[in-house]
Amino acid sequence: MTKTQQVRLAQRPTGLTDADTWDVTTEELPELGDGQILVKVAFISLDPAMRGWLNDVRSYVPPVGLGEVMRSLDIATVVETNHPDFAVGDTVSGLFGVTEYAISDGRGVQQVDLAVAPGPTWLGALGMPGMTAYFGLLEVGKLKAGETVVVSAAAGAVGSVVGQIAKAKGATVIGIAGGAQKCRLLTEELGFDAAIDYRDEDVLRRLRELAPKGIDIYFDNVGGEILDAALANLRRGARIVLCGAISAYNADTLPPGPSRYMSLLVHRASMTGFVVFDYADRYGEAVADIAKWLSEGKIKSREHVVEGGVARFGETLNLLFSGGNTGKLVLAL
Ligand SMILES: NC(=O)c1ccc[n+]([C@@H]2O[C@H](COP(=O)([O-])OP(=O)(O)OC[C@H]3O[C@@H](n4cnc5c(N)ncnc54)[C@H](OP(=O)(O)O)[C@@H]3O)[C@@H](O)[C@H]2O)c1
């Protein structure tokens, strides 16, 4: 019998999650059945979308139920197997949840090649955030060389890859991030042409200065006032890629809508929402390209790894909403 500590949803939060949101429980897992694997979780992905999964509303996935183990994508090692496709010692990724050990029937579980990159990178640039950046920018945004791309939450998991792919494809790239340190990272280490510190600068005015002909693609990770500032600076035919709106994920009431949306009409522009899972059958394409760019040094992968047990999940998750993470936020067990 294997004992596992895990984090369950105790109550639905209003605003930021806190200790009352979660129950940390220890339980024994049942014996392994036919066609099942037992995995030991090594790395847990922390994602802004997790906050949305706690709300009892209709979305692109069902909410996490009260009392259920919190949903998460993990990198894990197979420690016992009754499944023909998996051997003991395999490294895999799957939706095992915030838990030390899990039993799975292998559905949705992928093999992970640690010779290509370490575990946390498979949750970052080579994982869901990298896929989001790749398909959001190239398929939804339809980036062309020579265009001007602006991305918000630019020092985060998705944003940092968006900016670097755009640079690799010949765009001029402006990142928007919170704080001087993150802005320096963008321009000095990740190759962005310019960075705007939204905590300290007037974003609308700075975008006008830095992109005098207007923005071709705004990759929106945050919504709110920053989206409005981008709308005020569009170029004819601009595309807004609606990836996320983290500024509102903990809001109790809906924020006012974008006030400058008529700019879409004036500039014959479009704003398109997308969910990365729609590109699942093409992830292999993106992984091949991003792995190549990583090996060539065209893209640098950044992970923010917090060490600790599953009990640290709640406090670590909130780093995403205070801007406490730089790059992909991962909990290492
Ligand atoms: N559509 C999809 O399929 C899909 C898939 C994955 C992710 N997403 C979305 O992509 C976005 C980025 O996700 P990620 O995993 O890469 O997270 P991340 O950028 O690594 O972390 C979140 C960052 O958001 C910024 N932030 C937090 N509160 C903010 C606020 N009120 N205003 C402005 N910025 C704020 C913080 O950076 P600063 O310090 O710079 O503020 C924080 O570090 C999220 O909106 C997420 O929901 C969408």
Side-chain angles (χ1 to χ4, degrees):
M1 285 282 183
T2 305
K3 267 196 178 169
T4 184
Q5 195 174 55
Q6 55 208 358
V7 174
R8 291 179 180 274
L9 177 62
Q11 63 180 46
R12 300 200 182 279
T14 47
L16 276 176
T17 62
D18 60 21
D20 294 338
T21 310
W22 311 110
D23 257 347
V24 181
T25 58
T26 302
E27 289 162 38
E28 275 192 356
L29 291 173
E31 290 293 339
L32 209 58
D34 273 351
Q36 292 186 323
I37 52 173
L38 174 69
V39 300
K40 183 177 194 299
V41 173
F43 300 104
I44 296 176
S45 175
L46 291 108
D47 295 283
M50 286 173 156
R51 180 61 189 82
W53 301 341
L54 306 180
N55 298 334
D56 196 8
V57 294
R58 208 167 67 101
S59 187
Y60 59 93
V61 287
V64 175
L66 285 173
E68 282 178 12
V69 174
M70 180 59 191
R71 181 189 299 141
S72 65
L73 187 67
D74 309 330
I75 302 288
T77 309
V78 176
V79 290
E80 231 184 289
T81 177
N82 283 336
H83 193 300
D85 297 343
F86 299 95
V88 168
D90 283 355
T91 304
V92 293
S93 72
L95 283 171
F96 304 122
V98 181
T99 182
E100 294 172 325
Y101 290 88
I103 288 176
S104 162
D105 61 8
R107 266 184 293 177
V109 177
Q110 308 282 335
Q111 295 281 352
V112 164
D113 186 352
L114 295 181
V116 175
T121 307
W122 283 101
L123 294 176
L126 289 173
M128 195 267 291
M131 305 300 103
T132 305
Y134 184 95
F135 293 107
L137 184 65
L138 303 180
E139 294 293 326
V140 185
K142 302 193 189 326
L143 172 71
K144 293 188 278 296
E147 290 192 322
T148 297
V149 174
V150 174
V151 55
S152 50
V158 174
S160 59
V161 180
V162 167
Q164 294 183 87
I165 295 178
K167 278 308 295 178
K169 294 276 182 187
T172 298
V173 180
I174 302 165
I176 303 173
Q181 205 176 340
K182 287 190 178 181
C183 287
R184 270 198 305 278
L185 169 82
L186 297 180
T187 53
E188 292 173 14
E189 282 185 45
L190 303 185
F192 285 51
D193 296 282
I196 301 173
D197 176 1
Y198 76 90
R199 292 184 202 269
D200 196 42
E201 295 183 276
D202 179 337
V203 177
L204 195 153
R205 190 174 59 76
R206 287 292 286 141
L207 283 175
R208 204 156 274 165
E209 286 166 8
L210 291 167
K213 291 184 184 158
I215 301 164
D216 295 295
I217 297 181
Y218 172 52
F219 195 106
D220 189 20
N221 286 319
V222 307
E225 286 174 15
I226 296 177
L227 169 59
D228 254 337
L231 279 166
N233 286 289
L234 296 183
R235 193 171 187 174
R236 187 166 173 154
R239 286 85 68 203
I240 295 184
V241 180
L242 183 48
C243 176
I246 195 169
S247 68
Y249 289 178
N250 290 290
D252 294 339
T253 53
L254 284 178
S259 57
R260 294 178 185 269
Y261 73 94
M262 284 299 282
S263 176
L264 297 172
L265 178 155
V266 173
H267 298 286
R268 287 76 158 174
S270 63
M271 182 160 165
T272 310
F274 83 106
V275 175
V276 64
F277 307 137
D278 296 345
Y279 295 90
D281 59 347
R282 291 180 56 194
Y283 285 173
E285 212 180 291
V287 168
D289 275 349
I290 295 173
K292 182 167 164 284
W293 292 328
L294 283 170
S295 72
E296 294 169 350
K298 286 188 179 155
I299 284 189
K300 288 181 190 152
S301 160
R302 289 279 307 205
E303 293 99 27
H304 186 125
V305 180
V306 174
E307 307 271 345
V310 292
R312 290 200 66 189
F313 167 74
E315 61 182 277
T316 309
L317 179 67
N318 282 344
L319 292 177
L320 293 169
F321 304 107
S322 64
N325 68 305
T326 301
K328 173 64 205 160
L329 185 60
V330 173
L331 182 61
L333 301 189

